[in-house]
Amino acid sequence: MRTLVVYYSQTGNTKKVADAIFAALPRDKEIMKLEDVTSLDDYDLIFAGFPIHSHGPAPKAKEFLEKQAEGRAMALFITHASPESAPDVSHMIQRCVNAAAGAQLLGVFNCQGELARDVMDRLLESKHPEMRMFGEQGNFTRGQPDAARLARAAAFADEVLAKVT
Ligand SMILES: Cc1cc2nc3c(=O)[nH]c(=O)nc-3n(C[C@H](O)[C@H](O)[C@H](O)COP(=O)(O)O)c2cc1C
């Protein structure tokens, strides 16, 4: 079985998760940036990862899923600055799942990723109190995804594989 790990990552968090998943997979695997994918036809299983932007999948990832997920055996991995336990996270994840409608979805992994300094600075300058509060919370995301989260990502890869092999 041939497996592809494809990821979109602006500041490196989702790439760390992609690398952890890739390392956990047995041979006959490839890892690729989303921008470099031309066709998914050569793969039996696809792990697709991306960050949350504005409460949903980053636009490039959304477009990718809407165009390419149809009929594919797929697992999603997602990073976001909010803590996993935040009430809005399940809604954000649902929007990602909706974008992959038509895929045979084998699982979804999500974890916190550090909020980039420049994004945090922009949020802290916002005139909207809600955005400033989000920016302040960025301080609590330092170093994410950490080793524990990456270990969970590797375990997720095993769980997905167990469903198809
Ligand atoms: C433009 C932009 C919008 C974002 N919007 C959200 C959001 O709505 N909710 C959230 O939890 N994190 C949000 N984030 C934070 C990212 O999802 C998080 O830092 C992620 O781990 C970045 O992944 P990357 O390093 O792979 O790009 C946003 C980041 C950017 C740059």
Side-chain angles (χ1 to χ4, degrees), residues 94-123:
Q94 189 55 49
R95 290 177 69 181
C96 301
V97 169
N98 292 348
Q104 182 202 343
L105 202 56
L106 296 162
V108 181
F109 174 82
N110 69 288
C111 76
Q112 192 176 45
E114 181 170 319
L115 190 65
R117 186 75 239 181
D118 61 325
V119 182
M120 215 169 111
D121 288 345
R122 266 187 278 144
L123 290 168

Side-chain angles (χ1 to χ4, degrees), residues 15-71:
K15 181 183 186 310
K16 284 184 192 166
V17 178
D19 288 339
I21 288 174
F22 185 70
L25 295 172
R27 52 191 288 276
D28 210 5
K29 57 183 177 178
E30 265 186 81
I31 185 164
M32 216 179 273
K33 286 185 193 167
L34 184 141
E35 298 90 321
D36 296 336
V37 173
T38 49
S39 166
L40 297 177
D41 288 346
D42 290 343
Y43 307 97
D44 306 300
L45 170 64
I46 293 132
F47 285 84
F50 48 86
I52 292 290
H53 284 182
S54 304
H55 311 290
K60 275 192 182 162
K62 184 169 185 275
E63 193 190 331
F64 171 82
L65 292 174
E66 286 173 349
K67 283 193 181 149
Q68 308 248 31
E70 183 83 44

Side-chain angles (χ1 to χ4, degrees), residues 139-151:
N139 282 320
F140 300 104
T141 67
R142 290 280 155 265
Q144 300 304 337
D146 61 5
R149 285 177 166 87
L150 295 177

Side-chain angles (χ1 to χ4, degrees), residues 8-15 51-55 79-82 92 113-116 119 134:
Y8 176 65
S9 183
Q10 281 189 330
T11 63
N13 300 329
T14 312
K15 181 183 186 310
I52 292 290
H53 284 182
S54 304
H55 311 290
T79 70
H80 45 79
S82 300
M92 300 189 301
E114 181 170 319
L115 190 65
V119 182
F134 192 53

